[in-house]
Amino acid sequence: MLVWFLPVFLVALMIGLPVFFALLVSPGMLLWLNGQERDMALLYRNVYNGMDSFPLMALPFFMLAGELMNRGGITTRLVEFSQALMGHLRGGLAHVNILSSILFAGLSGSAVADTSALGSTLIPAMEKNGYTRKFAAAVTAASSVIGPIIPPSGIMIIYAYVMGESVAALFLAGIVPGIMVGVGLMLVVRLMADKYDLPKAERIVSKNQELTQLEHWVSFVLLRLNFAGVLLGVYAGIGAAVQYSSGADIAVNNWILMAVFLVIAHFVLMAIRPRVSADFRVVCKKAVAPLQAPIIILGGILVGVFTPTEASAVAVAYALLISFFVLRSMKLSDLPSIFTKSALGSSTVLLLVGAAVAFKTVVSLSHAPEQLAGFILNLSDDPLILLFLINLLLFIVGMFLDAGPAIIILGPILGPIFVELGVHPVHFAIIMSVNLTVGLATPPMGLVLFVASSVSGEKVETISKAILPFLAVEVLVIFLITYVPAISMTVPRLTGFVQ
Amino acid sequence: MLTALSRLLVILMTVNSFILRIGRFVAWVSLALMVLVILLQVVFRYIFNNALPWPDEAARFLMLWMTGLIAPSAYRWGGFVAIDMVPMALPKRVGLALMLVLLLLSAAVLFVAIGFGWNHTMGFGGNFDSSSLKIPLDLIGLESIKVKLRYMYMSLLVGVTLLLVINVELVIRTILELLDPEISLPGDDQVIVAGAD
């Protein structure tokens, strides 16, 4: 009897019942028909227990941090910085759009936020520069899917929680695939630039910008600290390797080393200084404080200072700090609407997660996973072919459903089957996240397409056509990630978050 | 009948708008407090090397209430994810009829949930004390009172109850549209759309 709940669930979903209710109504109804009233109470309890979670709190916090950074004027700085780096290429602003998405992805974990933030500044700018509006909207939508792949990432927090994986491991595993998507998109732009003769742009948009004294010093200190930190990291890595191979103990006091590296960093930066224009320097300095946020988040998690939840709270504090004191671009009266929006967005996801946990208990009570696994394994016992098929399935699901709900529904059902087949859980998580995130930009029901349409005023159908070449590359990246586990697994392995 | 229903809808919407506005206010303040509480914990743990017992649970308490109080606003504004291709593709009348069925199904879920929620909150389990949360009356010379788990459980009960109230509003709305497709219905004063993906 209980086996019927999956078909019932699918029908309920297809005819348009909100996912939250569909997750509850199908198991609930069958339990009721079975006379298992007691288990229905369990269903309710598990919704509550599913939401009552500390790791899950990272979700509203990262949403809040992204929202704060966006309203605080950080988007414009990132765009100007990207333009200073890539604007002079052919198809310059398209490249800038993609690079900004990569940078923005380090601050926010949401493709929707990415599209609306970058779209509202870049789509008009690209139009003025001579691009068609549909192309501008398509690049924005296609590149925004990098947002939830590069950490922090809302959907990875959800996946990690529902599936009992480590958030940190998933975050680290997402870095390289995210950058790969970005590079792939840039290659498409490069090819199109030849074919359609896409325009170049100025590297510096607004010349002679002023930098406040405080911001000057903040970027001065942060730049040197980060540079020295990187040197220290490289040194520690080499040191560990040498020690491992020769057994010689070459440990030097880290503080002394840091001081030495700080001096080196200072002189290197001073040597670069005369080679670039003053305007370029100002644009770069203005990007330093915003770009410190991903370093704090990831660095904190990597070093083990913060849990992801704490890192997300620190990110909120950092965003508030720089918006109010360094950039001075936010007023206290802006805060209620920003907080309300983040609370609103995360509340629906939290309810969904609760419902998913309840759903999961019934999934395990029924024998549906075994039967489904049997069915899938009957198709083929070659993991490579099964992974291909599963990617196909995920892609189709992604066309119709947002990434978060899709992960909540499919993760508990598909995850265990592939782990059984020998696919690493973290690797499978990345396959699933990247595939379903790309699904956010696929017609007919891509969430990001709708946002891009409302930001640009272009029709969804038109953007859907213009986005196809970019989607082709993203599909290619999905398959690369699927069949080359090293792409996602290397970073978490090297940092020791995955054995 | 039509006018009576429209009048009922207007009254219900006015009351709901008022309640939801309070809910949103409490929710955003809770979110702000959550950030503060976690930051406090970070400071105590890493700077004073002395973790406090209560912030984790307090933050979860706030998050649960935030969700319960603001999710109804999201529901009203269409923030609950659904695949609405079929209702959209159908002829208007049929689509509305399907919407009505879906809303009634949702109402049934919420109605049953309220029953279980009541038992969950008022039942045996809710009587237990929270492990770390208490009202610190000892600061003013009285005995401190431990917070009952009931007050945490209540968040979801309040949430589903408010969702049901909104659901009733949506049902009346759909019935009115079904009866008279040309009817102009009152809209909400402010709509915020937010997604997490």
Side-chain angles (χ1 to χ4, degrees):
Chain A
M1 182 77 185
L2 263 180
V3 153
W4 281 101
F5 86 89
L6 263 187
V8 171
F9 171 70
L10 285 179
V11 169
L13 211 57
M14 294 305 275
I15 59 172
L17 192 67
V19 181
F20 173 70
F21 295 116
L23 281 168
L24 295 177
V25 84
S26 45
M29 204 155 70
L30 290 167
L31 285 174
W32 181 62
L33 289 176
N34 252 2
Q36 290 168 277
E37 288 263 342
R38 199 182 278 263
D39 289 329
M40 281 171 77
L42 191 72
L43 210 59
Y44 176 88
R45 252 163 236 230
N46 280 336
V47 176
Y48 175 86
N49 291 337
M51 285 169 20
D52 183 15
S53 140
F54 187 71
L56 212 49
M57 213 177 286
L59 197 74
F61 286 174
F62 276 131
M63 274 192 77
L64 182 58
E67 196 73 31
L68 283 169
M69 308 243 188
N70 187 20
R71 297 266 191 110
I74 286 173
T75 319
T76 14
R77 285 161 181 253
L78 291 185
V79 171
E80 284 187 0
F81 176 64
S82 308
Q83 188 155 353
L85 293 181
M86 301 195 78
H88 60 295
L89 302 174
R90 261 198 302 149
L93 284 185
H95 286 299
V96 169
N97 197 326
I98 298 165
L99 182 61
S100 308
S101 281
I102 297 178
L103 298 178
F104 198 77
L107 309 171
S108 99
S110 138
V112 171
D114 192 328
T115 314
S116 55
L118 294 176
S120 50
T121 53
L122 271 171
I123 294 175
M126 285 177 78
E127 255 190 295
K128 214 187 278 173
N129 197 228
Y131 295 85
T132 57
R133 189 187 291 179
K134 60 177 180 181
F135 179 81
V139 175
T140 310
S143 65
S144 70
V145 303
I146 301 169
I149 303 176
I150 290 182
S153 157
I155 58 170
M156 287 188 196
I157 295 170
I158 298 173
Y159 188 96
Y161 175 63
V162 175
M163 301 293 294
E165 298 293 333
S166 137
V167 178
L170 293 196
F171 273 13
L172 293 170
I175 298 175
V176 180
I179 294 173
M180 270 182 69
V181 173
V183 173
L185 293 176
M186 284 179 179
L187 286 177
V188 178
V189 170
R190 181 75 192 72
L191 291 176
M192 288 181 131
D194 284 344
K195 199 171 165 197
Y196 300 106
D197 199 23
L198 298 178
K200 298 176 184 183
E202 290 289 320
R203 287 182 82 157
I204 305 297
V205 197
S206 41
K207 294 200 157 63
N208 302 324
Q209 294 193 66
E210 293 286 327
L211 203 62
T212 61
Q213 201 69 19
L214 177 66
E215 212 184 333
H216 172 78
W217 286 110
V218 166
S219 65
F220 181 91
V221 173
L222 285 180
L223 257 181
R224 278 148 188 81
L225 275 178
N226 286 320
F227 201 158
V230 169
L231 290 178
L232 191 66
V234 171
Y235 178 84
I238 295 173
V242 169
Q243 202 170 357
Y244 183 75
S245 57
S246 66
D249 193 13
I250 52 165
V252 185
N253 186 316
N254 274 340
W255 291 108
I256 298 172
L257 266 178
M258 189 66 185
V260 173
F261 284 139
L262 270 177
V263 174
I264 295 176
H266 179 70
F267 282 108
V268 171
L269 286 173
M270 291 315 267
I272 298 173
R273 198 181 150 88
R275 292 166 187 269
V276 293
S277 72
D279 285 322
F280 183 84
R281 284 208 303 274
V282 172
V283 169
C284 290
K285 279 180 192 163
K286 285 189 130 180
V288 169
L291 287 178
Q292 190 65 31
I295 300 175
I296 293 177
I297 297 169
L298 270 186
I301 296 176
L302 265 180
V303 178
V305 184
F306 306 132
T307 62
T309 307
E310 287 168 345
S312 62
V314 171
V316 171
Y318 182 77
L320 282 171
L321 213 67
I322 58 170
S323 308
F324 274 103
F325 297 109
V326 182
L327 314 188
R328 295 198 192 135
S329 48
M330 198 178 279
K331 294 190 298 287
L332 269 180
S333 56
D334 294 334
L335 289 183
S337 70
I338 297 175
F339 276 79
T340 307
K341 201 175 167 192
S342 309
L344 200 67
S346 34
S347 69
T348 51
V349 183
L350 290 171
L351 276 182
L352 265 184
V353 172
V357 171
F359 185 75
K360 209 176 136 185
T361 42
V362 183
V363 169
S364 47
L365 277 181
S366 77
H367 295 287
E370 288 93 331
Q371 294 189 349
L372 201 68
F375 171 72
I376 290 178
L377 293 175
N378 254 337
L379 294 174
S380 162
D381 51 5
D382 185 352
L384 298 181
I385 294 173
L386 287 178
L387 278 173
F388 178 82
L389 292 176
I390 225 61
N391 268 318
L392 219 57
L393 172 74
L394 290 174
F395 197 75
I396 294 168
V397 170
M399 285 177 164
F400 297 96
L401 205 57
D402 299 348
I407 275 190
I408 282 173
I409 296 165
L410 290 176
I413 299 176
L414 296 178
I417 300 175
F418 280 87
V419 171
E420 191 89 333
L421 278 169
V423 180
H424 195 285
V426 172
H427 181 209
F428 188 73
I430 295 297
I431 296 174
M432 208 162 160
S433 306
V434 175
N435 193 322
L436 289 170
T437 311
V438 170
L440 288 173
T442 51
M445 299 290 282
L447 189 59
V448 165
L449 289 179
F450 289 104
V451 179
S453 156
S454 77
V455 171
S456 65
E458 191 69 76
K459 272 198 192 146
V460 174
E461 294 81 29
T462 328
I463 304 176
S464 302
K465 274 197 202 112
I467 206 174
L468 288 177
F470 298 108
L471 284 180
V473 172
E474 285 172 353
V475 170
L476 206 69
V477 174
I478 292 174
F479 280 112
L480 271 177
I481 293 169
T482 307
Y483 291 117
V484 188
I487 294 172
S488 28
M489 299 304 290
T490 306
V491 177
R493 277 226 169 91
L494 283 180
T495 44
F497 279 86
V498 162
Q499 262 73 50
Chain B
M1 158 89 169
L2 215 59
T3 39
L5 260 185
S6 329
R7 199 162 298 154
L8 182 64
L9 179 67
V10 171
I11 297 170
L12 194 59
M13 280 192 73
T14 317
V15 176
N16 283 352
S17 294
F18 178 71
I19 299 173
L20 291 188
R21 195 166 308 137
I22 298 173
R24 287 199 296 276
F25 176 78
V26 178
W28 86 254
V29 173
S30 303
L31 180 56
L33 288 177
M34 271 157 71
V35 177
L36 282 181
V37 162
I38 299 294
L39 286 175
L40 191 75
Q41 178 72 316
V42 170
V43 168
F44 268 82
R45 185 177 294 163
Y46 297 113
I47 299 180
F48 302 131
N49 223 344
N50 180 15
L52 298 170
W54 55 269
D56 289 13
E57 199 176 1
R60 283 190 284 117
F61 183 96
L62 291 165
M63 180 168 78
L64 286 164
W65 275 101
M66 175 194 91
T67 308
L69 289 173
I70 206 167
S73 289
Y75 187 42
R76 189 191 220 182
W77 296 334
F80 274 37
V81 184
I83 304 177
D84 46 9
M85 288 226 318
V86 174
M88 294 287 210
L90 291 170
K92 193 165 183 232
R93 271 252 152 111
V94 188
L96 279 173
L98 178 59
M99 283 296 281
L100 190 60
V101 173
L102 295 177
L103 281 170
L104 291 175
L105 208 57
S106 311
V109 172
L110 291 168
F111 186 75
V112 175
I114 289 177
F116 287 121
W118 180 264
N119 290 340
H120 184 224
T121 309
M122 293 306 165
F124 183 65
N127 241 339
F128 285 107
D129 288 333
S130 147
S131 55
S132 67
L133 291 181
K134 51 191 173 195
I135 306 167
L137 292 180
D138 49 339
L139 295 181
I140 52 167
L142 299 168
E143 200 161 329
S144 67
I145 304 170
K146 291 225 167 191
V147 174
K148 300 258 180 234
L149 284 181
R150 176 164 299 148
Y151 295 106
M152 248 168 129
Y153 292 171
M154 206 183 275
S155 60
L156 185 58
L157 176 61
V158 170
V160 289
T161 311
L162 287 177
L163 281 174
L164 184 62
V165 175
I166 297 297
N167 200 304
V168 171
E169 179 190 309
L170 296 176
V171 166
I172 297 177
R173 206 171 236 284
T174 316
I175 291 177
L176 279 172
E177 276 181 290
L178 255 178
L179 292 177
D180 178 7
E182 304 303 314
I183 200 167
S184 73
L185 294 168
D188 203 352
D189 48 343
Q190 59 168 142
V191 175
I192 309 169
V193 182
D197 276 330

